[in-house]
Every structure is written in C-alpha cells, then in structure tokens.
Amino acid sequence: MEIPYTIETREDTGVNNAKLGIWLFLASEVMLFGALFTTYILLRIGSADDWSQLNDILNVPLATLNTVVLISSSVTMVMSWASLMMKDFKKYKLYMGLTILCSFGFLIIKYFEYSAKFEHHLYPSTNTFLAIYFTMTALHGLHVIGGIIVNTYFWGPGSKMWNTQPERFTNRIEIAGLYWHFVDLVWIFLFPVLYLL
Amino acid sequence: MSLKTFHIFFISLSVLTAIGFGVWLLNENAPVFAVLSFLSGIGLIVYGISFLRKLKHVSFI
Amino acid sequence: MQPNTKSVAQHHDVHQSEHHELSFWRKYVFSTDHKIIGIQYGITALMFLLLGFMFMMIMRWQLAYPGAAFPMYFFIAPIALMGVVVLFITGIKPSVNTVAGLSLVAMAALIWYLGSSDENFPDGIMLPEFYNQMGAMHGTIMVFLGVVPLAVGAFGNYVMPLQIGAPDMAFPKLNMMSYWVYFMGGVTMLISFFVPGGAANSGWTSYPPLSNIATTGQTIWLLGMVFLISSSLLGSVNFIVTIVQLRAKGLSFMRLPFFVWAQFVTSFLLLLAFPPLEAAGVLQLMDRLAGTSFFMPSGLVVSGQILPNTGGGTPLLWQHLFWFLAHPEVYVLILPAMGIISEIIANNTRKPLWGYKSLVYAAIFLGFMSFIVWAHHMFMTGMGSTISAFFQTTTMIISIPSVIILSALIISLWGGSIRFNTPMLFALAFLPMFGIGGLTGLPLGLSSSDIHLHDTYYVIGHFHYVVAPGTIFALFAGIYFWFPKATGRKMNETLGKIHFWGSFVCMNFIFFPMLIQGLAGVSRRLYDGGEQYAHAQSVLYLNEVMSVAAWVMALFQIFFIVNFFRSIKKGEKVSDNAWEATTLDWSATTSPPLAHGNFDTVPEVHRGPYEYSVPGQKNDFTPQHQKA
Ligand code: HEM
Ligand SMILES: [Cu+2]
C-alpha cells in the first residue's frame, strides 16, 4: 500500500502531503509563540517596573551577532535546497553542513549569554522580565536543537535517500527548510522585543 | 507556500529588522553602528533580488 | 495528478503478501494501520472513561453520605470480578480481551491502593484533599484521556479515512506516534497518584495561585498535559492533511459525509487552540520549578505567611490562556458527536439529512466563533463590563450555529420511516439532551445571570448535559453503529436496548437535580455537597438521589461491557454493509478484517453522501460510489 501525494502534488489542492502538513504544524507553532508574546505584552503592561530599563542588562552585541548567524543560516539552508534542485549533491552537503554549524554557533553564543547572567545571579526568578526572557529564549533554543537534529539527520544518514528517491529527498529538505525558517523568524521577533524595546 | 516564498518573506522581515535596529542605534547614540545596520539592510535587499532572479523557475506555491 | 488506479491496485496486492511477514509487534502494537490505531485509541480511551467514572462514583459517595466510612470493596469488587472473569475466559494471550481484563484488574488495584491509604482515608473517611484529587483527575481523565481520544483518536482514525476512500492516514508513522504519545500522557497522569501528596488536586482547570503552590502531583499533571497536547497536535495535522489530500476521486468537499466535516473542523480547533495551553503549561512549570511568578501576584499570603516569590504576575493570565483552549475544547467534545449522530440519523431515517449545507456552514462558523468566546468563563473575575459585554455578545452569536445544527437534525427525522435500533435510540436521545445542555448555557452566557449561577452546580449540570447524555451517548451510538465494520458482527440488540434505557433514565436523575441545586445556589467543588450551608438544606436530599442514580447507571454499563466483549466472538454475523448505508466506509469490501490499504479497488465517488430513498432507484440507498 502506498499513500498518494507523498511526492507528487495533488492537482486540485496544489500541494503534496508533507508541505501541507508542515504549514499546519507551523500554524500551531505560531499560536504557541503568539501566546507567549501575548503573555509578554500583558505582563509588561501590568508591571510596576519599567521594562525598557530592565532589559539593559541583556547583551545586545551578542544578540546582534546571533541575529546575523541565524539570517546567514537561513541563506545557507535555502542554498542547500536549491543545490538539490540543480542536482548538485556535493554543494548540498556543503550548505547543509554550514547551516548546522551556524545553528551550533547560535547555541554556543546563547550559552555564553546565559552563563554570564547566571554569574551575576540573574535567574528566571529574579523578576518577571527575566522570567519571560529565559522562558522564551529557552523555548526558542529547544526549537533550534530540534532543527539541528533534523538537519543533521538529513545531512548524514538521511541523505542516502538522494540515491533512491531524489525528488522525495528534495522535498524533505524543503520541509526542513520551512521549519528552519520559522525558527529563524521567531528569533527575528524575539530580538527586538526582548533586547531593544 | 514554497521555501522560496518563505525565504523572501523572511528576508523582507530581516530588512525591516535591520532598519529598525539602525533607528534604535541612532537613539542610543551609536551612529557608526547604525549606518552599518542600514547598510546590511540594503545588502539584504540586494541579496533578495538576486535570489529571486536565480530561482526564477521555482514555483511560489 | 490523480493516483494511477492500476499501480495503486498492484501495490495493494504486493502489500497483502508482505503483510503476513509483519511481526506481532508491528501488526498489533506498533502498527501504522489507522484501523488498528483507532482500536488502540478506542480501548485505551474506554478504559480511561471507566476510570474517570469510578472516581466520580467515589466522589458521589462522599457527597451523598459526607463523613461516612467509605465502603471500598463495594466499589472495587465489580471491576475486579469483571477483569478476572474476562481473563479467565480468554486467558493470557495477545488479544484485546486480555488487555482489557488486565486493565480492569489494574484499575481495581489502583483504587484499592488509594482507598486503603491512611493519607486518603483515615479511619475509612475521605479527606478533603483526596476529594480534590478525585475531582481534578475525574475532569482531566474524562476530557483529555477519555472523550476526546475516543471521539477523535478512535472514531476519527477508524472511520474518517474509510469515509473518504483513503488507503490510510496521510502520515501513518505520525499516527502511530500520536497514539503512543497519548499513551505516555495517560501513564504520566496515572503515575501522579504515587508521588507524595498524590495526584493533582486543583481542578481540571488548574487555576493558579492554588495550583502553583499545590503538591508535586500538579507538576506531573503539567508534564502529562504536555504529552497529551503534543499528541493531539500531531493527530490534528494528520487529520487535516488526510482530509484535504486523500479524498477519493470525485469526493468534493460538499460531498463529504458530515462526520468528516465535523472531524475536519475539530482538528483545526485542536491545532490552533491547544498551543496556548501548552505555553501556559510551560509557564506554570516555570513557576513551580524555576521560581518565576508568571501567575503569582506580589505579596500573596498563604497560611499567614507572605510567599517568598518576587510576584509581578497575574493569575488571570492563566485563566485567559486556559480558556482560550478550553472553550474550543468543548466544541472538540461536541462536534465529533454531532458528526456521528448525523450519520446514524440519515441512515436510520432512510432520508437525506435535512439542510446538509447549513450543517456544514454552521460547523465552520462554530469553529471560528469558538475562538472568541472564551472569557464567558471569566465574567466574575472583574475583568470589566466592556469586555464582558463583548464576550456575552459573541456567546449569544455562537449559540446560533449550535441551534442550526440541532434543528437540522431534528427536522431530518420528519417523515422518515425510522428504524429504532440501538444506535438510533442513542442518537435520538442525544437531540433533547444536547438541547437541554445548550439551552442551560444561555443564562450562563449572559453576564448578569451568570453572577448567580457561576461556580454553582448549575454549571456542572449544564456541561454534563452536553457531554454525558450528549457526547457520551453519541459515542455509544457510534460504537454500536461501527462495531460491525470493525468486527463483521453486530452487537446484541436486546442488551443494547437495556443499556440504552437504563443509561437514559439514570443520566437524567444524575444531572437534572444538579440544575436545581445550582439554582438554589449550591457551589460546585464542595467536599460535603453543601451540608454546611443554610441555603443548601432544602436541596440536600438530591445528593443521595444523584449518587444512587450514578451507581445504578454503573450497573447498566455492565450490559454494555458484556455485550461488547461477547459480540466480538459471538455476535450475529453481518455483511459488509450492515446497515445498508451510503457512505464509502461501508463499501470497503474486505470486512473483517479490513486489510491494510482498506479498499480492493480505489473507490470513485459519483454522488453526495446521503442519497437515501432516491425515487427511481431499486434500493432505498444509493452508495456514493455507485455510478448513475
Ligand atoms: C450552546 C451554547 C453554549 C453556551 C451559551 C455555553 C455557555 C457556557 C458558559 C457561559 C459557561 C461558564 C459558566 C460559568 O462558569 O459561570 C459554560 C461552562 C461550561 N460549558 Fe458551556 N456553553 C454552551 C455549550 C457547551 C458545549 C457544547 C459544551 C461541551 C461539549 C460545553 C461545556 C462546558 C463546560 C465543560 C463548562 C464548564 C467548565 C468549568 O468551569 O469547569 N458548553 N458554558
Ligand atoms: Cu465556554
């Protein structure tokens, strides 16, 4: 038994299963982070403190660096997909590898940020701003780790599929790319909201 | 929506972020960095256009 | 591109031969076949329903006879006995019956463990703390582990792909994962009974600050919810993709059986409403484990001491996030039920559903609206009259589609030559019961009358009318109706009718008095049923009535359980299309057991879902796949 439209698109809907699936999943992710951003707004409005001062303790240069890293990783991600469409597997490996490196880079920088906070005895329990800061960035970090796992699989063992079902593999990379772009997108919102405003 | 579309959407938002960040830096009295930020915004626009050219044949859906 | 009929058929043949090679584990335990997964969901959910029911009966003991010693063995004996009998008849072998028998024995053991602990029942008398555990876990188990998994996980999984002519779900492995993540969630919830302080005891709504400072059980509850939410997210993605992508040729959206539509809308609700609760769960976990104060106001005094947390949060935030899920959730509870009822009514009136299109549009509208009514649960929180006015208006608006659906179903009965079989009896009872449930919702939805009714037994009566004689009846109807598809045999009609009439009468004796008590002002979640309150005295006698009715209803469920297990082996054999129905599920030829892949030839659809008694046709039903 074979499930129809795993690779080919269905004519009347214009998509294949996986693409529709990932977009639905991302819709639910939007609701997840949407709820957290709403929480942020409500807590900030109701707070007795001035959050635009509270966030001065955050490290803007490091966050900027991280923003650059993530934007670059989205570029390499899209390149790895484009390479597959041009049937260039070697380049795919290169770009996907770079994407994964960028993701690790992001996490390492994040690690330095976190540990600097802990050294200064700044914890989630210190105040509500730090609470939401740690919660949101940690949840985002978990999503980054998820992306690393998926991408590493497609870079390593999962890439064998290229030899047997190249079209399906290209599809999978597109799906992984959509997810990864979403993770980057969340950061693009987190950065100004948490660090700047 | 294909990865191509999403990428363009993402790059557009990145451009906005770069510009917004530049404005923020101006407020913080860091004009050099602000200019850098604006420039990277422009760089992203250029990149976006070249990306669209390169992937002309790929569907938006 | 349409599927190439020939190649799919060939694959099917290939597949059948390789099917025999699947090991027992792959075939029945870690199966990717939507029918097996549906049955796994069904059995698990039924067991949880029974457990939730047991908890309720234990609570009802306390409510009827506050302070009297708890006769534990009186409650345990029946299920333990049933479990042993089932095991004795089947023996220990890989079968549904053995699993069910073992679960029954385990359930008895759990209640024995709880009932014989001095921490819960010193001198055999229930402590309020334990009553609260029962209350919270009854609600949680019923909603998240019982009704939704049965309505969506079991019925949706089993029936929906068949009704749209699909070989399976779009992502079979994801489907398997959904089930096992759900299972893990259930196990997690059960484990919480064994931690110090017992299970969660802050109500199924888990309102902070109470839940924030509750015992460890609450942490486990939150972890369990994370599992359950993840499971339903995976499931809903799968459902939507399957419905959109795998519809058979010719099966346009407006030809979908209403059951499929109901599952479709339900899946969107699950997909979009659950994540905010997941966020809220994460925040509460942070509050409990990392010492944050998302839901904790500053300077909170507990037992005469100011809590050391930094404060700055607000408990109302939880309520907003929770009800943003939980109101759509109540439509998750009711929509699949409406779907089941529609199929059964069309089939047994031998008439097309009246107003199919209005049913569909009403369901979609209902889905949209259910996202903007949540704060009608919060009128009494002091959120302000402007906001109340908004949510009261949307609440009144959302009752319109509910009324449309109910009316369409009632009108469908008009002029039909109705077959009064067991599924139809349950379906017919659903209509007035849901009617009472919906109508009692209106006074709750008006912010002024809600002042009197909020947090009274009236609310409990309201939603139980919708969920118990409403949704649960629909689920029973569905089990009787699709049992032949799963087993090739019918359940016994006489036992079914006894089950129906017994349950129907008892349900009303349980839930109608709640409305009366609530109007008299008796609060919900009272551990002594209101004994200490002067205003409750005149309606106190109803507590015993409700409790006895609940226990009697339990006895009537035995008819169902016996019927269910007996019919698997001994029920009357029936043909593929046991009820002479029109939808594609009944055209699947290989029953039982349906092979993985469902259809021998890929079906093609030529007409709408309910072409019953079409003039000029030879039969009084014209299947969807029949050509002109
Ligand atoms: C059709 C129109 C309906 C209206 C106008 C309505 C209105 C309400 C309102 C205003 C409340 C809050 C009462 C309070 O706490 O003071 C409520 C509670 C509730 N309703 Fe409904 N409802 C409707 C249908 C349903 C349906 C279809 C279901 C479920 C299948 C349902 C399940 C519940 C539940 C579970 C609660 C109580 C939650 C709790 O506090 O524990 N309702 N309803
Ligand atoms: Cu509601």
Side-chain angles (χ1 to χ4, degrees), chain C residues 327 330 373-374 376-377:
Chain C
H327 186 85
V330 305
V373 298
W374 77 87
H376 64 207
H377 296 271

Side-chain angles (χ1 to χ4, degrees), chain A residues 1, chain C residues 7-16 595-600:
Chain A
M1 180 213 49
Chain C
S7 81
V8 174
Q10 272 167 4
H11 275 295
H12 189 74
D13 290 340
V14 173
H15 193 88
Q16 276 200 323
H596 196 179
N598 294 344
F599 297 92
D600 287 342

Side-chain angles (χ1 to χ4, degrees), chain C residues 143 204-205 207 322-323 326-327 329-335 338 366 376-380 395-396 398-399 402-403 434 437-446 450 453-456 459-460 462-464 466-467 471 524-525:
Chain C
V143 172
W204 80 287
T205 50
Y207 276 10
F322 181 85
W323 289 115
H327 186 85
E329 178 81 8
V330 305
Y331 288 95
V332 169
L333 296 171
I334 199 68
L335 274 169
M338 290 169 166
L366 199 76
H376 64 207
H377 296 271
M378 300 167 59
F379 287 143
M380 298 293 283
T395 304
M396 291 305 117
I398 201 178
S399 46
S402 318
V403 171
F434 173 69
L439 285 176
T440 51
L442 294 178
L444 294 173
L446 296 166
D450 189 51
L453 299 171
H454 179 68
D455 261 349
T456 65
V459 176
I460 310 287
H462 151 67
F463 71 76
H464 279 94
V466 192
V467 187
T471 302
R524 65 193 285 194
R525 292 181 180 167

Side-chain angles (χ1 to χ4, degrees), chain C residues 101-230:
Chain C
L102 287 174
S103 313
L104 287 170
V105 173
M107 207 181 292
L110 174 67
I111 290 165
W112 175 80
Y113 167 81
L114 296 173
S116 54
S117 154
D118 270 351
E119 281 170 35
N120 302 331
F121 292 89
D123 305 322
I125 296 163
M126 187 187 297
L127 284 182
E129 287 79 4
F130 183 72
Y131 181 86
N132 285 345
Q133 280 183 45
M134 288 290 101
M137 295 314 281
H138 164 74
T140 305
I141 288 178
M142 283 301 197
V143 172
F144 297 112
L145 287 159
V147 174
V148 176
L150 189 57
V152 180
F155 280 105
N157 240 317
Y158 196 98
V159 177
M160 182 273 285
L162 290 174
Q163 285 198 334
I164 64 171
D168 201 323
M169 295 289 263
F171 309 112
K173 280 193 195 124
L174 208 63
N175 202 13
M176 172 182 89
M177 243 170 82
S178 313
Y179 171 75
W180 285 106
V181 174
Y182 155 67
F183 187 83
M184 289 298 300
V187 170
T188 311
M189 291 292 184
L190 290 178
I191 286 174
S192 70
F193 283 104
F194 299 94
V195 299
N201 48 24
S202 313
W204 80 287
T205 50
S206 281
Y207 276 10
L210 183 61
S211 56
N212 267 11
I213 56 176
T215 49
T216 323
Q218 181 65 22
T219 305
I220 317 261
W221 185 89
L222 290 164
L223 291 175
M225 285 308 290
V226 170
F227 277 115
L228 296 177
I229 293 170
S230 309

